[in-house]
Amino acid sequence: MIGIIDVSHNFTGVYGAGALDFYTENKIAFDYGAGTSSGGTNLVSYFSGKPGLTFLFYNDFALRNDYLNLKNTFQDSNALDIDLLYDDMFRSFAEYPLAYEHTGNSKAMLQIIATDAKSGTPHYFDITDATEDKISILKASYNIPVYNEPYKIDDASYYAGYLSDPLPFRQAFEEGCDKVILILARPLSYRRDALRDLLLSRLLKARHPELAKSVRNLSKAYNDAIYEALQLQKEGKMMILSPEIHTPLYTFIKDRKEVSTLYSKGREDAEKTLAFLKNDI
C-alpha cells in the first residue's frame, strides 16, 4: 500500500500541484492520500482525475484581489476570503462527490486534516466518506489563524491542519501504507523558527488556549518530523519532494512567473520518483 502526502500551504502549493498532475497524466495510482491546507486541494484534484485544475487555482483564482485583501482584517477579521476562493473555483469547475474512477483505484482513501480550534488537536476528515460538505472541509484545512476566524463545521471550529500535524506521514503508516511520498511546502533544509511560533501562540492564547499550546510546540514538532522523515527515506520507506528553489511565494506575493516555475519544478521532481514507485504501481 502506497500513500501520497501533500502539506503545501499558500501559493507554494503549486509545486505539489505540478507533481500530482504528473502522476495523474501518467496514470500513477495511490492507495492513500493525506493533505493539509492547499495540499488538500491538490489531492482533491489528483483523486478526482482532473490534471490542471489546481494550476488554475493558483494561477488565476488565488491571485485575485478580492480573495486576498488585507484591509478586510480590520473590518471583519477575515483577510483571506476562503469562501469566495473555494466556492468560485470548485463549485464552478469540480464535480462532487469526488470522481475516483480516473485514479485506477476506487478503494483509495483521502484524508484532509484540520486543527480543532478548541482542543488544538488534528481532525482527520475522511473526505471519501464524509457526510459534511466536502468544500467546507477544504476551507477548514486551509484556514489561517490571525488572517481568519476559525471555520465552523457542524458544532466545531477549525484552522489549518499543519498547526497540529505539520507532516502527517505517521497517520499514513497507521492507515497501512508501506511506502509514502511526502510533498513539502518548503525546501528540505528549512527548519521552523521557534520564536515565530511563540509570537503566534501569544496572539491565540486568549481565545484558543489549547490551540496556542499546539502552536507553541509547532517548530519542535515540524523539525523532529523532518529528521524522522529523512531517516525513513534512508530506509527506503519514503521519498521526499521539496521545492529546492528560492521563491517569494512563502508570503502572499502575487507572481505568475514564480507560479509557473514552481509548477514545472514539481512535475520534474515527480518524474524522479518513478524508480521508487516502480514495484508498487
Side-chain angles (χ1 to χ4, degrees):
M1 182 172 171
I2 190 159
I4 181 83
I5 296 173
D6 190 344
V7 296
S8 302
H9 52 270
N10 302 335
F11 293 101
T12 57
V14 74
Y15 171 81
L20 288 161
D21 278 357
F22 174 85
Y23 292 137
T24 302
E25 292 165 7
N26 287 274
K27 296 180 170 51
I28 296 173
F30 293 92
D31 305 293
Y32 172 86
T36 65
S37 193
S38 51
T41 305
N42 291 342
L43 286 169
V44 164
S45 177
Y46 165 77
F47 279 102
S48 298
K50 299 178 185 296
L53 177 66
T54 42
F55 181 76
L56 180 63
F57 178 86
Y58 299 106
N59 197 49
D60 184 358
F61 285 81
L63 296 180
R64 295 180 180 181
N65 290 329
D66 49 3
Y67 157 61
L68 174 60
N69 188 344
L70 296 179
K71 292 180 181 179
N72 291 346
T73 302
F74 303 102
Q75 297 173 359
D76 63 4
S77 301
N78 286 288
L80 307 179
D81 197 333
I82 295 174
D83 286 326
L84 176 68
L85 176 65
Y86 277 89
D87 288 341
D88 278 5
M89 178 66 199
F90 286 96
R91 296 197 191 279
S92 298
F93 290 94
E95 297 175 5
Y96 282 83
L98 300 178
Y100 283 94
E101 63 271 15
H102 300 291
T103 67
N105 186 353
S106 61
K107 296 181 180 179
M109 174 190 292
L110 173 57
Q111 291 186 318
I112 303 298
I113 304 156
T115 298
D116 188 297
K118 183 177 180 180
S119 67
T121 57
H123 185 95
Y124 302 93
F125 288 97
D126 184 350
I127 203 169
T128 53
D129 296 324
T131 57
E132 302 92 344
D133 176 42
K134 293 178 173 62
I135 298 178
S136 292
I137 294 172
L138 293 176
K139 293 175 183 177
S141 183
Y142 195 95
N143 200 34
I144 302 173
V146 180
Y147 287 96
N148 286 87
E149 292 292 306
Y151 198 89
K152 293 183 178 180
I153 297 178
D154 295 332
D155 296 326
S157 298
Y158 299 94
Y159 282 116
Y162 68 84
L163 297 171
S164 54
D165 193 354
L167 301 178
F169 56 82
R170 299 182 188 95
Q171 177 72 8
F173 288 114
E174 287 178 9
E175 293 292 346
C177 289
D178 303 298
K179 284 185 175 183
V180 169
I181 287 181
L182 173 64
I183 302 174
L184 298 178
R186 305 261 189 161
L188 187 55
S189 59
Y190 168 79
R191 299 295 181 269
R192 285 193 69 92
D193 183 355
L195 178 59
R196 173 187 173 189
D197 292 332
L198 178 61
L199 294 174
L200 177 57
S201 174
R202 288 175 176 173
L203 290 173
L204 295 170
K205 186 175 181 179
R207 293 185 60 190
H208 306 296
E210 295 303 317
L211 175 61
K213 291 179 183 178
S214 294
V215 171
R216 189 166 62 246
N217 296 321
L218 180 55
S219 58
K220 184 178 187 305
Y222 179 90
N223 297 341
D224 287 351
I226 283 289
Y227 289 121
E228 185 177 343
L230 287 169
Q231 182 59 42
L232 289 168
Q233 184 166 252
K234 289 180 181 178
E235 296 170 5
K237 297 178 181 178
M238 180 180 290
M239 190 159 187
I240 305 170
L241 300 183
S242 61
E244 299 292 344
I245 55 177
H246 176 72
T247 171
L249 296 183
Y250 298 138
T251 60
F252 292 107
I253 295 173
K254 302 181 179 184
D255 189 329
R256 282 189 167 84
K257 182 179 179 180
E258 285 288 344
V259 166
S260 296
T261 299
L262 269 179
Y263 179 80
S264 297
K265 184 67 165 56
R267 294 182 64 92
E268 292 171 7
D269 288 353
E271 188 172 5
K272 298 174 185 177
T273 67
L274 293 180
F276 174 78
L277 295 170
K278 66 180 181 180
N279 295 325
D280 298 273
I281 58 177

